[in-house]
Structure formats: C-alpha cells, structure tokens
Amino acid sequence: MTPANFDFHCHSAVSDGLLPPQEVARRAAGNGVDLWALTDHDDLGGLLIAGEAAAEAGMGFVPGVEISIEWRGVPVHVVGLGFDREDRGLSGGLDELRSGRIERARRMGDALAAIGIPGAYEGALCFVTNPSLVTRAHFARYLVSVGIARDMPGVFQHYLTPGKPGYVDHRWATLQEAIGWISGAGGVAVVAHPGRYRMSGGEMRGLLDEFRDLGGQGLEVTSGSHSPDQVMHFARLARHYGFHASRGSDFHGPQESYVDLGRLPQLPEDLKPVWRLLS
Ligand code: AMP
Ligand code: MN
Ligand code: MN
Ligand code: MN
C-alpha cells in the first residue's frame, strides 16, 4: 500500500513530548496519518504502547528513535526506523547514552545558578516524565513557567544554545555508533532536520559523505523545522547522494509545536520515499 500521509518524526512523554504515546498515536490517526513512527530521543520505551494504539486506530506503524550524536563538535540527530526493538546492541547503546543526561542536567543547573537563576535543575525535573530522559526542552519549560523568558524559542536563544550561559557540553554518541546500532538492528538511518544544524555547505557535505559511507540511507527533506527553501535545498542533496527522503513533523505537543502531526507538505514527487526501504 502506498501511504498518503506518512509522518516519521515525533515525540511522546517518554522523551520530551507532552502527550503519552497512545495519545500521540490517536492524534496522528485523527489528523489523517496512515503510516506513523514514534521517534523519542534515545529511548525505545514508548514503542510497544504506540504500536498497539496505532493498530487500534487502523494506522500503519514503524518503530523509531531519534539518536543524539555529536559530529565535529556539532550536535546532530539521527533518526532510526524499522529496527528490531529487542536488539541488544541498539538498546544497550541507548542505555549508555541516556545515563549521562542526569549529570549533564545537574551541570546545566549549576551553570544557570551561576548567572543568578537558582533551582533550575529541580525545576526542570518537575517537567520530566521519564526520569532517565531529561532534555533542554524540560529546562526550557521550567524557565518559561517562572517567567525567565516568554516562550521556548526565547529561552533557547538566550540561555540554552552553544555559547549561552545554560549550555554545557556533553559527550553524545558518534555518527558511527548511531548508524552501527541502527543498522545492526536491521533498521534504516536518516539524518534528522538537516536545516537545523549550524554548519557551512562544506561541512554539511562532509557530514552526508560520512553518513553515506557508514551505511546511512535517508535524509529528512520535509520537516516541521524546514522552510520551503530548505525543503528544495535538501531535496537536491537527497538526489545528489541517492538518499531516500523522509518526512516528519517533529511534533512535541499541541501548545508547543508549529507543525501538527501529518500536517506538512508532501515530499517532492521525484524523490524516493524512505518507507520503500521498510518491509
Ligand atoms: P537535548 O537533547 O537535551 O540537547 O535537548 C534538545 C531538545 O530541545 C530538542 O529535541 C527540542 O525538543 C528542544 N529544542 C532544541 N532547540 C530548540 C529551540 N530553538 N526551540 C525550541 N525547542 C528546542
Ligand atoms: Mn525534543
Ligand atoms: Mn531533533
Ligand atoms: Mn525530534
């Protein structure tokens, strides 16, 4: 069956989304999504419930994850799709990746305290739904709730991005590790929202060369984070590299996300959609 509306990038409360996995599934189906992947950050804990809820709603389901990596000093996200959820290499790698997050969060709290914002670590934890998965989004929600900034983009811009006082470095996975875990579990690796990375054209080509050489097959061309110009740009890169194209809203929650599940443009027609690689 050819899906009319696939969405292969979104989050539930298992990472930093606002809704439990079954509600994300129902919302996706209600919006007309007919093939769906849940892609929580670094955690597979929502996939069982998500798959059951998708089946109940009559929607196709693909297991997914969004893995946090660092490439030449730049944080990059790699989406894995269609893997075996029981694979020990993948789940073990993700366990290790998550274990550093609490320590990083403490250091973020210390860094914010040093500029006169005390209690941010404890505050962020009040917004956390999965104790092993605290992200900058949880800090951002706390900082908005106490009036430090007006909205999420404002907090990121002033406090939580590289060079800003609440940003601390962290050792994420490498590109090779992430692709190895996904491929080892029989899945397909996709570079998530390439338009979000602060890199030059040359660096982006370096990333995509390396990604392809390591066995990566997909590029997120249509994304909730991309402007129409960026869609055209990354469509050209997908053609150039022979990548399959993915499409994902990156939905986090009804009040927060610019783009709702399934509510984004179709892929340019000549591209090879990534679902073709999934059996
Ligand atoms: P982390 O994995 O802890 O570095 O947190 C990254 C998460 O923060 C992303 O997955 C988004 O949910 C959120 N995020 C990052 N940048 C922004 C931004 N500029 N505006 C809103 N949310 C953001
Ligand atoms: Mn997120
Ligand atoms: Mn991401
Ligand atoms: Mn995401």
Side-chain angles (χ1 to χ4, degrees), residues 106-204:
R106 280 203 193 90
R107 289 192 288 131
M108 287 175 65
D110 293 345
L112 288 165
I115 58 153
I117 305 174
Y121 170 70
E122 294 75 11
L125 287 190
C126 297
F127 288 81
V128 165
T129 37
N130 171 356
S132 77
L133 217 113
V134 47
T135 75
R136 283 182 291 155
H138 300 108
F139 277 83
R141 285 178 194 139
Y142 169 71
L143 294 173
V144 170
S145 77
V146 293
I148 299 284
R150 235 195 4 229
D151 53 21
M152 299 275 283
V155 196
F156 275 92
Q157 191 185 343
H158 296 292
Y159 297 97
L160 300 179
T161 41
K164 297 299 152 88
Y167 187 84
V168 301
D169 281 334
H170 185 63
R171 209 199 75 77
W172 299 113
T174 64
L175 184 64
Q176 184 165 15
E177 283 170 331
I179 297 174
W181 298 336
I182 295 166
S183 308
V188 172
V190 176
V191 173
H193 45 59
R196 288 242 311 252
Y197 308 130
R198 285 204 214 163
M199 35 174 102
S200 66
E203 285 169 323
M204 177 57 69

Side-chain angles (χ1 to χ4, degrees), residues 16 41 101 104 135-137 156 196 252:
D16 56 2
H41 298 285
R101 277 188 176 267
R104 168 194 186 231
T135 75
R136 283 182 291 155
F156 275 92
R196 288 242 311 252
H252 281 69

Side-chain angles (χ1 to χ4, degrees), residues 4-122:
N5 188 348
F6 77 100
D7 189 334
F8 281 173
H9 190 152
C10 66
H11 300 272
S12 78
V14 166
S15 62
D16 56 2
L18 295 171
L19 305 176
Q22 61 274 27
E23 284 183 33
V24 185
R26 285 183 211 123
R27 188 178 182 101
N31 282 359
V33 172
D34 52 2
L35 185 60
W36 175 63
L38 177 69
T39 57
D40 274 311
H41 298 285
D42 308 329
D43 200 315
L44 309 180
L47 296 179
L48 190 61
I49 294 174
E52 287 170 1
E56 264 172 42
M59 177 172 64
F61 178 71
V62 171
V65 65
E66 182 176 20
I67 303 182
S68 314
I69 71 154
E70 184 176 306
W71 183 81
R72 294 193 194 163
V74 183
V76 167
H77 288 169
V78 174
V79 162
L81 297 169
F83 46 78
D84 170 10
R85 283 185 286 136
E86 307 297 326
D87 184 85
R88 288 301 181 87
L90 175 61
S91 61
L94 296 178
D95 287 346
E96 205 173 306
L97 189 51
R98 284 195 307 273
S99 68
R101 277 188 176 267
I102 273 284
E103 183 47 37
R104 168 194 186 231
R106 280 203 193 90
R107 289 192 288 131
M108 287 175 65
D110 293 345
L112 288 165
I115 58 153
I117 305 174
Y121 170 70
E122 294 75 11

